[in-house]
């Protein structure tokens, strides 16, 4: 990890960033399932932070070094000491060796900073990258590979007139925290308005939402369809044909786009009114496209009857009477409150997220993969005032685009979102949190502990 400069756009000045290696996003790490990796993550960042720290936030007190970092591989099943626990951050001049066993199925993972109280700033500065795990099941599908398989890591930023990163502040000097950040420059692989020359054939794109707060609603110009083949944690049972897909912070989608039949055209990847990038389709393909298999990887649906425990967990907003600032909480608890989620290793649980706020929160659990059971609307006002839970209508099944293995789920306002999860892997201390980084920084993050059964 070091400070460096990148060119975001030909017509912009160089931007000072923090990066893994020498670019943003950092190098794409390609791992094989079952083959472990040791990575030494060295912190060579400068002593002064690039962005304004809020010392009133939990874990970012003035007694802490301003610059600290710790790496988390999002979606990886790793022992707790290599998972990047937020409080395990370390200052410049130090390095830590982490062990990634990669004992899990092929998936689009990513790595990013997780330092307590400043991870939103460290990631905004540029500390993130893609991490792909491959396996034989994926190999056998003969999906587009090599130069026909491309990670697209999305993030949004605000820039100063001089082309430097601009992280917004509340205006209160001693408490600059803001509840979310939405940049007006949407970057793909660290570039503003890039284009990609493609051949008229099928490509595979591994899309990662690495934004702090922004949700993307991805589509192609002309209402062109694409095929989703995977979710956060791996391949879907079968390709799903879509014209748009919504990605909350930290979610991934694995898609293919067939450019055959579009020779000579320009196709734009967009999110709402924003243009992200352009595909310039050339006249001929060097290698003909193989068709997309009709079946990808079977997924066995987890049964509610397997669950040994159901936890009801609220997502709350809370006004701190002392500081008069808004906090976001999980189950009305703060980071330092005692651990309340202690699943036994190997057991299955249902977690119900009762969203009492007005926002969608992308909820992420470390260590595990899960399936979304359903979402159920309820009377949030009645619940808030009278405490009685009145359900409205019928539960809704997950969208086809999220009906596979997940590690991050969109918990919508006024809804109860249910997931089912087996706590496989390792015993020890992990975290679960909202992946809007500004929320996570202000108490919307909690430890959980896998205990031996
Ligand atoms: Cu993307 Cu706690 O993680
Ligand atoms: Cu949130």
């Amino acid at each position: 990890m070091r400070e460096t400069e990148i060119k975001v756009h030909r017509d912009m000045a160089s931007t000072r960033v923090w990066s893994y290696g020498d670019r943003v996003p950092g190098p794409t790490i390609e791992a094989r399932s079952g083959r472990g990796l040791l990575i030494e993550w060295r912190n060579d960042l400068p002593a002064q932070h690039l962005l304004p720290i809020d010392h009133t936030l939990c874990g970012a007190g003035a007694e802490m070094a301003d610059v600290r970092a710790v790496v988390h591989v999002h979606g990886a099943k790793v022992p707790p000491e290599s998972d990047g626990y937020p409080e395990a951050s370390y200052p410049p001049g130090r390095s830590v060796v982490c062990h990634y066993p990669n004992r899990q199925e092929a998936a689009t993972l990513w790595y990013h900073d997780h330092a307590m109280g400043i991870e939103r700033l460290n990631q905004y500065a540029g500390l993130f990258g893609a991490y792909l795990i491959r396996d034989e099941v994926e190999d056998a599908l003969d999906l587009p590979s090599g130069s026909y398989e491309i990670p697209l890591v999305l993030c949004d930023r605000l820039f100063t007139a001089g082309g430097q990163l601009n992280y917004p502040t509340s205006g209160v000097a001693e408490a600059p925290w803001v509840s979310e950040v939405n940049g007006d420059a949407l970057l793909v692989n660290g570039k503003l308005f890039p284009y990609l020359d493609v051949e008229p054939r099928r490509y595979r794109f591994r899309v990662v939402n690495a934004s702090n707060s922004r949700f993307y609603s991805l589509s192609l110009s002309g209402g062109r369809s694409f095929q989703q083949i995977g979710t956060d944690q791996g391949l879907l049972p079968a390709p799903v044909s879509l014209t748009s897909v919504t990605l909350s912070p930290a979610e991934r989608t694995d898609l293919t786009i067939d450019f055959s039949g579009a020779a000579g055209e320009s196709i734009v990847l967009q999110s709402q009114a924003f243009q992200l990038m352009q595909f310039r389709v050339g006249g001929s393909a060097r290698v003909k496209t193989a068709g997309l298999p009709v079946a990808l990887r079977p997924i066995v649906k987890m049964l509610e009857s397997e669950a040994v425990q159901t936890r009801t967990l609220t997502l709350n907003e809370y006004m701190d009477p002392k500081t008069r600032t808004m906090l976001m909480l999980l189950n009305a608890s703060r980071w330092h409150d005692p651990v309340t989620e202690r699943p036994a290793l190997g057991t299955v649980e249902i977690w119900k997220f009762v969203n009492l706020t007005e926002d969608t929160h992308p909820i992420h659990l470390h260590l595990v993969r899960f399936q979304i059971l359903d979402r159920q609307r309820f009377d949030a006002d009645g619940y808030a005032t009278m405490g009685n839970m009145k359900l409205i209508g019928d539960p809704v099944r997950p969208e086809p685009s999220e009906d596979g293995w997940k590690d991050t789920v969109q918990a919508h306002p006024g809804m109860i979102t249910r997931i089912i999860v087996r706590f496989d892997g390792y015993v020890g201390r992990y975290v679960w949190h909202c992946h809007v980084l500004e929320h996570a920084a202000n108490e919307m993050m909690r430890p959980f502990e896998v205990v031996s059964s």
Side-chain angles (χ1 to χ4, degrees), residues 328 360-362 434-436 439 444:
M328 322 265 172
T360 296
H361 299 276
C434 174
H435 221 290
V436 169
H439 296 180
M444 209 167 194

Side-chain angles (χ1 to χ4, degrees), residues 72 74 110 112 114 119 250 364 366 431 433 435:
H72 169 60
H74 182 121
W110 63 299
H112 63 71
H114 219 311
E119 76 172 286
H364 169 50
H366 286 211
V431 299
H433 58 93
H435 221 290

Side-chain angles (χ1 to χ4, degrees), residues 171-200:
V172 181
E174 56 286 358
W177 175 83
V178 290
S179 64
E180 57 181 50
V181 173
N182 278 295
D184 53 10
L186 274 59
L187 310 184
V188 181
N189 294 343
K191 299 286 182 195
L192 182 61
F193 304 132
Y195 68 87
L196 178 70
D197 285 319
V198 295
E199 297 169 23

Side-chain angles (χ1 to χ4, degrees), residues 50-91:
L50 204 52
L51 301 168
I53 295 176
D54 186 329
H55 292 292
T56 68
L57 295 179
C58 179
E63 73 286 358
M64 305 293 292
D66 274 6
V67 177
R68 293 171 284 114
V70 62
V71 183
H72 169 60
V73 179
H74 182 121
K77 193 198 277 191
V78 302
E81 56 281 6
S82 290
D83 192 50
Y85 199 68
E87 290 171 341
S89 64
Y90 49 95

Side-chain angles (χ1 to χ4, degrees), residues 144-167:
S145 62
S147 53
Y148 304 116
E149 182 198 19
I150 298 174
L152 300 179
V153 183
L154 312 180
C155 72
D156 60 325
R157 294 292 181 268
L158 292 157
F159 288 95
T160 65
Q164 299 310 308
L165 292 175
N166 176 13
Y167 187 89

